[in-house]
Amino acid sequence: MPEGNRAEGSDWGEERVSGAAVIAQALKTQDVQYMFGVVGFPVTEIAVAAQQLGIRYIGMRNEQAACYAASAIGYLTSRPGVCLVVSGPGLIHALGGMANANMNCWPLIVIAGSSERSQETMGAFQEFPQVEACRLYSKFSAQPSSIQHIPSVIEKAVRSSIYGRPGACYIDIPADLVILQENVNSVKYKECCMPPPISMAETSAVCMAASVIRSAKQPLLIIGKGAAYAHAEDSIRKLVEQCNLPFLPTPMGKGVVPDSHPNCVGAARSRALQSADVIMLFGARLNWILHFGLPPRYQPDVKFIQVDICAEELGNNVKPAVTLLGDVNAVSKQLLEQLDKTAWQCPAESKWWETLREKMKSNQVVSKELASRKSLPMNYYTVFYHVQEQLPRDCFVISEGANTMDIGRTVLQNYLPRHRLDAGTFGTMGVGLGFAIAAALVAKDKSPGQRVICVEGDSAFGFSGMEVETICRYNLPIILLVVNNNGIYQGFNADTWKEMLNFQDATTASPPMCLLPNSHYEQVMSAFGGKGYFVQTPEELQNSLRQTLADTSTPSLINIMIEPQSTRKAQVSAFNLTVTCQVNDSQQ
């Protein structure tokens, strides 16, 4: 036990240890390396004790962002990050991050202080039923009964967060337990929990799955973020290439097999889903992202092969032809072994491949036409085309926003697994800067020089923009791209905004999705010592990107102005027509 975690005790001279020191040591014993939080009464001592033991503490500006960062650490390292928050409102702010981690199936430990046990039910400072509240958002929620009990609760929380389907766990620490002193010899630490056991699918089910694959005329493999978390990239790529399978990555499944791979059919997503007769799901759920697996997005008689670590997920929304319960990487290897026995490939010249290539080509032509437009302000496709040209192949891409995220993932390429993070299964806005901070820390530790590009809509940036100060304080070389259309989904240009306000009060005339036009978000970065750029043309975007990528020592933010009415397709929106009518009516 480090000397900083001990205190001289009673008249007997026995060594004593505080609850804060025990918490820190228990986390260290469980190989927890990162802690994010917003400190205050009664948890500041826990953060200090953690730092003394070498756990990296990153002080954030909001508990939600801290929780998002800690959960991203869990996804990127397969070991939970810790979110440390104060009682009551502090924990409530963190619930969004807990829910997001649970929905995304990412390991996370949240530790919150709570009111003193002797004051329970008396109306104590920030008293709140925290253990009960967190049960809705976590796999495990508990309060240690004593200092001696802390190590076993922490070990169980860490183990629960990574075993089976990963998720969030909560540990409640009463204020009196933080400062209470106990004999150091009375505290026994639990050994670091073992890595999760690797489970494999039943051999008979694997044989059946191989048989269904061989019978397919129009097969499709869908790669989810569960495959990325399972580090299944080598086995899945081999399966794709050995069987010549077209594959479709989910947003965070991008990079398990590189987006540039010739078998990637992301550019023909709708056609692939609607026409496939056999679909293999590797760590992907048939939820809203994949349209629940139901017609009309799918053939009524499509055969699903589900590979998942969670038994309860198998059979959700559809009746699968085959279910393979187990670790995605292990099951992929089992399938490869079975398919090796009788070689099979989807013919490269089949009608299926011809249909997919034709649709990919036509969609790519449309995207390139949009990207090549010279008119100003720029549209989304023009912006992402120029960004993609300069992005390093090994960079992390963090993305959030509505059109910004949806269009961006069709243009911005990923070549490595676990290098794209976005709003995820829960569709959570505000995750971007927390995720970027986590990715930058991992990159700094494992691959110095690797860049983190955080692509934000202007609305999404507003959720956690103050974390720019955190980025500058720790000097994390993150490049923030704010794609600014002056609104949520769409906004106004400055002239239309001014004209409208000449006739009406903004609180009644301004559509709810509008934001202040031409906001200079780059000045937020400049205010804290980073570099800010305000760009309006492709040339300015290219130059600012070149400068920021060359400077690996300074955070930067590029505020990119685009056409406020820009959408996925070049069209006049109902929103645009409504706004025009409102302005015209005001002038009459």
Side-chain angles (χ1 to χ4, degrees):
M1 178 77 64
E3 290 301 323
N5 289 335
R6 295 177 178 177
E8 292 302 319
S10 64
D11 295 338
W12 301 99
E14 63 185 17
E15 288 184 302
R16 298 179 71 79
V17 63
S18 68
V22 172
I23 293 165
Q25 184 61 57
L27 291 170
K28 183 73 172 179
T29 302
Q30 297 304 320
D31 196 27
V32 168
Q33 300 176 36
Y34 299 91
M35 178 182 286
F36 303 81
V38 180
V39 296
F41 178 81
V43 300
T44 303
E45 291 85 354
I46 298 173
V48 172
Q51 284 183 314
Q52 290 175 340
L53 291 178
I55 295 174
R56 302 179 68 178
Y57 176 79
I58 299 88
M60 306 285 281
R61 300 304 300 266
N62 180 279
E63 290 91 353
Q64 278 191 347
C67 210
Y68 296 142
S71 67
I73 285 290
Y75 174 62
L76 295 171
T77 69
S78 301
R79 207 72 185 175
V82 168
C83 176
L84 179 69
V85 297
V86 300
S87 52
L91 175 66
I92 292 170
H93 292 165
L95 291 180
M98 290 182 68
N100 189 66
N102 239 27
M103 291 291 185
N104 273 346
C105 309
W106 290 356
L108 165 71
I109 305 295
V110 175
I111 298 177
S114 59
S115 49
E116 294 187 18
R117 290 170 293 180
S118 63
Q119 297 174 356
E120 190 172 344
T121 74
M122 296 175 64
F125 175 67
Q126 296 183 336
E127 184 176 356
F128 185 71
Q130 298 181 179
V131 175
E132 293 87 341
C134 289
R135 287 200 176 102
L136 289 173
Y137 307 96
S138 62
K139 294 179 67 179
F140 171 79
S141 180
Q143 182 188 93
S145 58
S146 64
I147 287 182
Q148 290 86 348
H149 191 212
I150 288 172
S152 62
V153 170
I154 287 178
E155 187 275 340
K156 182 166 184 177
V158 171
R159 176 162 42 86
S160 298
S161 76
I162 60 176
Y163 277 36
R165 171 181 276 178
C169 293
Y170 174 65
I171 303 171
D172 191 80
I173 305 293
D176 53 304
L177 214 59
V178 174
I179 59 174
L180 190 66
Q181 302 272 324
E182 286 288 351
N183 185 330
V184 69
N185 295 320
S186 70
V187 181
K188 307 298 179 185
Y189 295 95
K190 302 272 286 185
E191 289 186 12
C192 184
C193 66
M194 299 292 289
I198 303 299
S199 54
M200 301 174 71
E202 292 182 359
T203 303
S204 60
V206 176
C207 293
M208 186 182 300
S211 177
V212 172
I213 292 170
R214 291 191 188 101
S215 70
K217 303 296 184 206
Q218 298 180 170
L220 178 66
L221 191 156
I222 297 179
I223 303 171
K225 67 176 175 290
Y229 183 82
H231 290 248
E233 50 268 22
D234 291 340
S235 56
I236 289 181
R237 181 167 185 165
K238 187 175 179 181
L239 184 63
V240 164
E241 294 176 347
Q242 179 175 310
C243 298
N244 194 36
L245 293 169
F247 73 89
L248 182 68
T250 64
M252 279 190 275
K254 284 164 62 70
V256 171
V257 182
D259 287 342
S260 57
H261 195 284
N263 287 42
C264 180
V265 295
R269 182 181 188 272
S270 294
R271 180 66 57 84
L273 294 177
Q274 287 173 344
S275 304
D277 63 353
V278 172
I279 294 180
M280 293 152 272
L281 294 159
F282 284 78
R285 289 172 280 180
L286 289 173
N287 54 22
W288 66 275
I289 293 175
L290 289 174
H291 315 289
F292 312 106
L294 301 174
R297 291 285 190 167
Y298 296 81
Q299 292 292 319
D301 57 350
V302 62
K303 295 179 180 178
F304 286 103
I305 299 172
Q306 284 186 280
V307 182
D308 205 284
I309 192 68
C310 177
E312 290 81 0
E313 190 61 44
L314 302 174
N316 267 357
N317 300 323
V318 302
K319 184 177 181 180
V322 188
T323 58
L324 300 173
L325 176 63
D327 175 81
V328 175
N329 189 32
V331 174
S332 301
K333 292 177 180 177
Q334 287 181 279
L335 262 177
L336 278 167
E337 291 175 4
Q338 190 63 39
L339 290 166
D340 279 341
K341 295 177 181 178
T342 305
W344 178 87
Q345 272 199 342
C346 179
E349 303 305 319
S350 66
K351 182 68 175 175
W352 177 228
W353 266 116
E354 181 183 333
T355 299
L356 292 173
R357 291 192 187 104
E358 181 181 300
K359 187 61 177 176
M360 289 168 65
K361 185 176 180 180
S362 65
N363 284 344
Q364 287 164 351
V365 167
V366 173
S367 294
K368 287 180 180 178
E369 191 277 327
L370 288 167
S372 64
R373 292 187 177 178
K374 305 296 184 183
S375 59
L376 294 176
M378 295 179 284
N379 63 45
Y380 285 102
Y381 292 89
T382 303
V383 169
F384 293 134
Y385 172 78
H386 290 294
V387 171
Q388 175 58 34
E389 276 193 322
Q390 294 194 45
L391 282 189
R393 289 179 66 89
D394 66 346
C395 72
F396 286 90
V397 177
I398 317 298
S399 186
E400 65 172 330
N403 292 326
T404 298
M405 183 177 67
D406 292 341
I407 299 173
R409 70 166 171 260
T410 68
V411 181
L412 302 179
Q413 302 286 290
N414 285 92
Y415 306 98
L416 297 173
R418 298 168 296 282
H419 276 60
R420 177 185 165 85
L421 294 88
D422 67 19
T425 306
F426 213 27
T428 307
M429 292 296 102
V431 297
L433 273 67
F435 283 3
I437 289 167
L441 292 166
V442 171
K444 189 174 182 180
D445 288 346
K446 296 185 177 180
S447 302
Q450 198 172 32
R451 305 309 300 270
V452 175
I453 316 296
C454 185
V455 187
E456 302 269 305
D458 51 331
S459 170
F461 177 74
F463 281 85
S464 58
M466 200 62 185
E467 297 304 333
V468 166
E469 188 274 334
T470 308
I471 291 170
C472 290
R473 184 170 10 115
Y474 293 103
N475 197 32
L476 300 173
I478 295 169
I479 299 173
L480 292 169
L481 306 180
V482 177
V483 184
N484 190 348
N485 69 348
N486 302 335
I488 303 170
Y489 302 113
Q490 294 174 308
F492 289 145
N493 60 38
D495 290 340
T496 304
W497 173 264
K498 184 177 179 180
E499 189 175 14
M500 181 183 64
L501 295 191
N502 284 336
F503 296 95
Q504 297 187 49
D505 178 0
T507 60
T508 56
S510 171
M513 62 280 290
C514 287
L515 300 174
L516 190 67
N518 301 336
S519 295
H520 283 266
Y521 297 111
E522 78 284 354
Q523 293 182 5
V524 178
M525 179 64 81
S526 301
F528 297 115
K531 292 184 178 178
Y533 303 84
F534 184 81
V535 306
Q536 296 175 289
T537 68
E539 293 73 24
E540 291 173 346
L541 175 58
Q542 290 169 335
N543 291 336
S544 60
L545 270 171
R546 197 172 296 114
Q547 292 175 44
T548 57
L549 287 167
D551 184 358
T552 60
S553 62
T554 309
S556 59
L557 189 155
I558 305 175
N559 186 14
I560 307 165
M561 301 308 301
I562 68 168
E563 168 56 49
Q565 297 295 302
S566 181
T567 60
R568 181 183 292 271
K569 296 179 181 179
Q571 60 188 11
V572 177
S573 68
F575 169 77
N576 191 15
L577 289 173
T578 300
V579 169
T580 302
C581 291
Q582 285 179 342
V583 174
N584 290 339
D585 289 344
S586 299
Q587 294 173 327
Q588 292 176 359

